[in-house]
Amino acid sequence: MENQVLTPHVYWAQRHRELYLRVELSDVQNPAISISENVLHFKAQGHGAKGDNVYEFHLEFLDLVKPEPVYKLTQRQVNITVQKKVSQWWERLTKQEKRPLFLAPDFDRWLDESDAEMELRAKEEERLNKLRLESEGSPETLTSLKKGYLFMYNLVQFLGFSWIFVNLTVRFCILGKESFYDTFHAVADMVYFCQMLSVVETINAVIGVTSSPVMPSLIQLLGRNFILFIIFGTMEEMQNKAVVFFVFYAWSATEIFRYPFYMLSCIDMDWKVLTWLRYTVWIPLYPLGCLAEAVSVIQSIPVFNETGRFSFTLPYPVKIKVRFSFFLQIYLILLFLGLYINFRHLYKQRRRRYGQKKKKVH
């Protein structure tokens, strides 16, 4: 009896220049794969979801592709690579807007457009660096130097924030709530050091040493340093408030997981527990840290009004006194806007790392 013709499960991903298709069929031999009139035709005998049968499908691509697909057979699947005629990002794979039932995203290879652009730039930079180093005959690679530099930077920051975290924890265990009120004088020097050094992190993103987006890094740098140098640093009345403890504790508790994660990444190590903590602890700590920062700003408003620090009077004929507290109220709005931007960025990072495990393909 002739085998029934069925449709296999197909998973897809893309880059600017290529399309990747993964056909879930095992024990496939000599599949018929071709592209004609911008339509991919696939037919093969193999073992799929419906047992040993003939499986086939047809996909009309959204835009023009080169008619020479390349495929590779493995014991469990068929991997197909299709070259786009024009290097660009597609909003979907097929010409028809409704996704075929047998087609789903390949989350093992999935990247959004910005990540794919960074990957493309990284590959191009790596290729150019390799060509340059080969022409110069240098025994060392730029990549190894960069990794060594980033490892040392992250190590220093990890040690600094660990010292802050341990110091605050030990003092709280010994002194209890009394430790809240002299937190600034106990750890401020180290916090100043770590926060000034964090400028390097933003510079690394700007000049391309790291692939981190510039905006989230810049928002965190400016926000923390405003709280540290302006709210706490210039007002002695604020330095003895309990909120300082909660701000510094939230900052350090987040960074003692982030920086060692980056350290291990520099030497191509992945400790699963640390990776999970790096992508998870920010969920409660980041909003709590922003809330503590907002409380510190609110508590500082009457202090700045009373002292008149940073307030000024507009010149004649206006002659209106502008209080610094007005800018603090604007900053509160910007603080929560920054919280949204960074929270969204961190959530996308976590979803890329763990989201595919939660998705179910029908």
Side-chain angles (χ1 to χ4, degrees), residues 177-209:
K177 294 181 180 179
E178 293 299 320
S179 67
F180 292 171
Y181 303 101
D182 61 346
T183 294
F184 187 87
H185 302 288
V187 300
D189 289 341
M190 185 60 72
V191 178
Y192 277 130
F193 172 78
C194 291
Q195 282 306 122
M196 286 189 290
L197 190 59
S198 66
V199 174
V200 175
E201 197 166 333
T202 302
I203 294 174
N204 288 339
V206 171
I207 64 178
V209 175

Side-chain angles (χ1 to χ4, degrees), residues 34-36 65-69 83 85:
S34 63
I35 295 177
S36 61
V65 299
K66 297 181 180 180
E68 303 90 14
Q83 299 290 329
K85 277 198 172 181

Side-chain angles (χ1 to χ4, degrees), residues 164-355:
I164 297 168
F165 180 81
V166 172
N167 189 297
L168 294 178
T169 303
V170 171
R171 294 180 74 255
F172 176 73
C173 291
I174 296 174
L175 302 175
K177 294 181 180 179
E178 293 299 320
S179 67
F180 292 171
Y181 303 101
D182 61 346
T183 294
F184 187 87
H185 302 288
V187 300
D189 289 341
M190 185 60 72
V191 178
Y192 277 130
F193 172 78
C194 291
Q195 282 306 122
M196 286 189 290
L197 190 59
S198 66
V199 174
V200 175
E201 197 166 333
T202 302
I203 294 174
N204 288 339
V206 171
I207 64 178
V209 175
T210 62
S211 59
S212 303
V214 176
M215 187 55 66
S217 176
L218 184 62
I219 289 174
Q220 178 168 293
L221 172 70
L222 296 178
R224 286 186 176 183
N225 284 350
F226 179 82
I227 297 296
L228 177 62
F229 288 96
I230 303 299
I231 302 299
F232 296 155
T234 64
M235 304 297 292
E236 291 186 10
E237 296 89 339
M238 291 298 301
Q239 295 172 7
N240 296 321
K241 293 188 177 293
V243 71
V244 178
F245 173 88
F246 295 100
V247 171
F248 289 175
Y249 205 78
W251 290 358
S252 60
T254 303
E255 305 300 21
I256 61 174
F257 299 112
R258 188 168 71 96
Y259 284 116
F261 169 79
Y262 289 147
M263 284 169 52
L264 295 183
S265 298
C266 290
I267 55 177
D268 300 320
M269 289 184 62
D270 182 16
W271 185 22
K272 294 188 182 299
V273 174
L274 180 61
T275 301
W276 184 86
L277 288 170
R278 182 264 181 273
Y279 284 104
T280 304
V281 294
W282 62 267
I283 296 175
L285 290 178
Y286 196 77
L288 288 175
C290 286
L291 180 62
E293 292 175 25
V295 170
S296 69
V297 173
I298 293 170
Q299 290 183 349
S300 73
I301 289 177
V303 179
F304 278 105
N305 283 339
E306 183 178 345
T307 61
R309 183 164 294 179
F310 302 134
S311 299
F312 58 92
T313 302
L314 295 175
Y316 180 85
V318 181
K319 301 183 86 173
I320 296 176
K321 185 174 183 180
V322 180
R323 295 182 179 274
F324 186 63
S325 58
F326 170 74
F327 297 102
L328 292 178
Q329 293 168 24
I330 296 176
Y331 177 78
L332 282 174
I333 299 174
L334 297 178
L335 176 65
F336 288 100
L337 177 62
L339 169 63
Y340 168 76
I341 294 173
N342 276 9
F343 202 95
R344 183 171 176 269
H345 166 68
L346 292 169
Y347 173 74
K348 286 179 67 177
Q349 283 188 326
R350 192 180 196 281
R351 187 179 61 183
R352 282 198 297 268
R353 173 69 69 156
Y354 295 110

